[in-house]
Amino acid sequence: MTTGEILVHVAEYKVGGPGNVLLTIGLGSCVAVMLHDAGAKVGGLAHILLPSPALSRRDQNPGKFPQTAIPLLLQEMAGRGADAARITARIAGGASMFANLQPLGTIQMGERNLVAVRTALTHHSIPLVGSEVGGDFGRTVRLFADDGRIEVSAVRRGVTYL
Amino acid sequence: MEDVRDLKELQFDALKEVANIGAGHAATALSQMTNKKIMITVPEVTVTPLEEVSEVLGNPEEVVAAVLMHMMGDLTGRTLLLFPEPSAYDLCDILLRRAPGTTTEFGVMEQSGIKEVGNILSSAYLNALSDFMGMMLVPSVPSLVVDLSAAVLTSTYLNFGSERDYVFCVESEFQFDGESSNLRGHFLLLPDLASLRAIFDAIRVG
């Protein structure tokens, strides 16, 4: 890890300011929600694990679900000087790995996560300006708080920017 | 038993013994297939929050070749076989009778070879369990992905397990003995919670 890099583990959410890079490793069915305010150079990343607290009995970890992680992310970003009106969102992940083992007619968790994340973003009126989602492969993402650039890398697929 | 956290010491030990029998047979199969000596570790039974499974086998950034199969019949769940990328290449060299260091990508032949290894190992593991517990266990077709260990592990539990809080795995590590290549892999047995009960009933550990 280079200086200024902030690692976001599964079901965590973190905020970074100028000079910071928010990093999350190995998104499979999970979805990374990345918020950025270009004016304040403040970024936030949540590593969403599940689409709804209803799927979990032990629901005290708000970082797990989009409904609970996104408002907390917004709150922390506001604390760092971000203006809600300027914040835009991009998302990555939500893959369907081992899809051929999934019983027919079921909806993959990756897809359910994506739907729940988009719903939560709409609920908070945050415009979704980019996504790198789906497929059958994992992703590692970096959000550069300075310019809001997002680097998405996948094994043997190289790097794309959002 | 409502939750995997309710497991007792004796039940952990029993699961380790069951896994040892399965892993022993799987290692024998792999040894015969490759004509190499194989060492297996004492199985580890781990209970972790779902958030932490990506790190249960060590480095979440390690690229692995992973073969997932459903376990069907009297028990339900999954088996997951993981080889770190360099080990998967070495294994392809051995299986495809190539000079060491020849395989550098996962083409059709290599993918097929790794899936077949998954098939043979899981079948050997499940056969041993079937005999030991007097059950019928059948593996599904294998599914292979080559990806980061974190993505593989989290997706396996998210898409196929019904537990969303604490999850459970029985893991055996195997290693080729006396090889300079340091070829190694992990075999994970992931029974559903209901099947854990069935295992304890079968071996009379309450």
Side-chain angles (χ1 to χ4, degrees):
Chain A
M1 273 215 327
T2 51
T3 340
E5 242 177 25
I6 299 171
L7 181 63
V8 186
H9 289 102
V10 181
E12 281 184 351
Y13 61 94
K14 297 243 171 95
V15 169
N20 287 144
V21 180
L22 293 153
L23 160 71
T24 200
I25 295 161
L27 292 159
S29 312
C30 293
V31 176
V33 178
M34 293 160 286
L35 306 182
H36 187 248
D37 175 352
K41 297 187 176 175
V42 170
L45 192 158
H47 187 136
I48 303 297
L49 182 64
L50 288 168
S52 162
L55 291 174
S56 176
R57 270 177 290 163
R58 194 184 63 108
D59 57 359
Q60 64 264 40
N61 180 359
K64 254 180 165 175
F65 319 103
Q67 303 92 314
T68 44
I70 290 172
L72 288 165
L73 205 50
L74 286 170
Q75 200 180 322
E76 261 191 50
M77 286 175 71
R80 300 282 291 264
D83 178 353
R86 280 194 306 239
I87 291 176
T88 57
R90 280 157 293 169
I91 58 176
S96 301
M97 300 170 86
F98 303 113
N100 65 332
L101 290 184
Q102 197 74 17
L104 287 175
T106 55
I107 302 168
Q108 288 262 321
M109 198 55 87
E111 190 54 42
R112 291 173 67 181
N113 276 334
L114 288 170
V115 170
V117 163
R118 290 189 189 114
T119 307
L121 288 171
T122 308
H123 179 77
H124 291 279
S125 312
I126 309 169
L128 180 60
V129 298
S131 51
E132 167 55 43
V133 296
D136 57 359
F137 52 90
R139 295 171 175 90
T140 291
V141 296
R142 282 184 171 79
L143 165 62
F144 296 80
D146 281 328
D147 55 3
R149 179 168 39 111
I150 289 171
E151 182 192 286
V152 184
S153 54
V155 175
R156 258 178 287 285
R157 284 166 194 272
V159 177
T160 47
Y161 289 92
L162 269 183
Chain B
M1 190 173 54
E2 277 295 293
D3 196 306
V4 286
R5 283 172 295 171
D6 300 336
L7 285 174
K8 297 185 206 79
E9 196 57 41
L10 184 66
Q11 293 173 318
F12 272 104
D13 287 343
L15 283 170
K16 282 186 198 168
E17 188 51 35
V18 167
N20 218 1
I21 292 167
H25 281 73
T28 304
L30 186 59
S31 174
Q32 285 168 349
M33 204 175 4
T34 56
N35 205 19
K36 309 266 181 199
K37 200 170 161 187
I38 290 166
M39 310 283 283
I40 52 171
T41 60
V42 176
E44 275 192 49
V45 182
T46 45
V47 173
T48 37
L50 185 58
E51 293 94 307
E52 288 164 25
V53 292
S54 62
E55 286 162 32
V56 83
L57 297 181
N59 183 3
E61 286 186 82
E62 182 168 51
V63 177
V64 295
V67 183
L68 184 70
M69 297 165 75
H70 284 299
M71 164 169 74
M72 302 176 292
D74 291 335
L75 298 177
T76 60
R78 285 141 304 282
T79 64
L80 181 65
L81 180 67
L82 292 160
F83 292 103
E85 191 181 31
S87 291
Y89 288 151
D90 289 351
L91 192 59
C92 287
D93 288 338
I94 295 169
L95 293 172
L96 302 170
R97 313 229 182 282
R98 295 171 175 164
T102 311
T103 309
T104 53
E105 58 171 6
F106 292 108
V108 177
M109 278 298 284
E110 291 78 9
Q111 291 190 23
S112 177
I114 296 286
K115 271 194 230 176
E116 194 51 31
V117 170
N119 224 342
I120 292 167
L121 262 65
S122 284
S123 300
Y125 194 109
L126 295 185
N127 271 338
L129 263 54
S130 297
D131 288 347
F132 177 57
M133 297 190 288
M135 288 179 170
M136 192 188 75
L137 300 176
V138 186
S140 74
V141 293
S143 179
L144 171 75
V145 301
V146 178
D147 219 306
L148 297 179
S149 162
V152 168
L153 288 168
T154 313
S155 297
T156 297
Y157 283 101
L158 266 187
N159 275 320
F160 301 103
S162 56
E163 288 299 303
R164 310 285 183 221
D165 301 306
Y166 280 85
V167 296
F168 172 86
C169 99
V170 187
E171 186 244 331
S172 308
E173 189 176 353
F174 50 90
Q175 191 157 8
F176 281 47
D177 191 30
E179 286 284 305
S180 54
S181 66
N182 193 27
L183 201 159
R184 65 188 176 86
H186 301 270
F187 190 95
L188 276 67
L189 180 70
L190 312 167
D192 292 331
L193 190 57
S195 294
L196 270 183
R197 278 180 218 120
I199 293 174
F200 296 139
D201 286 344
I203 57 177
R204 296 184 180 81
V205 178

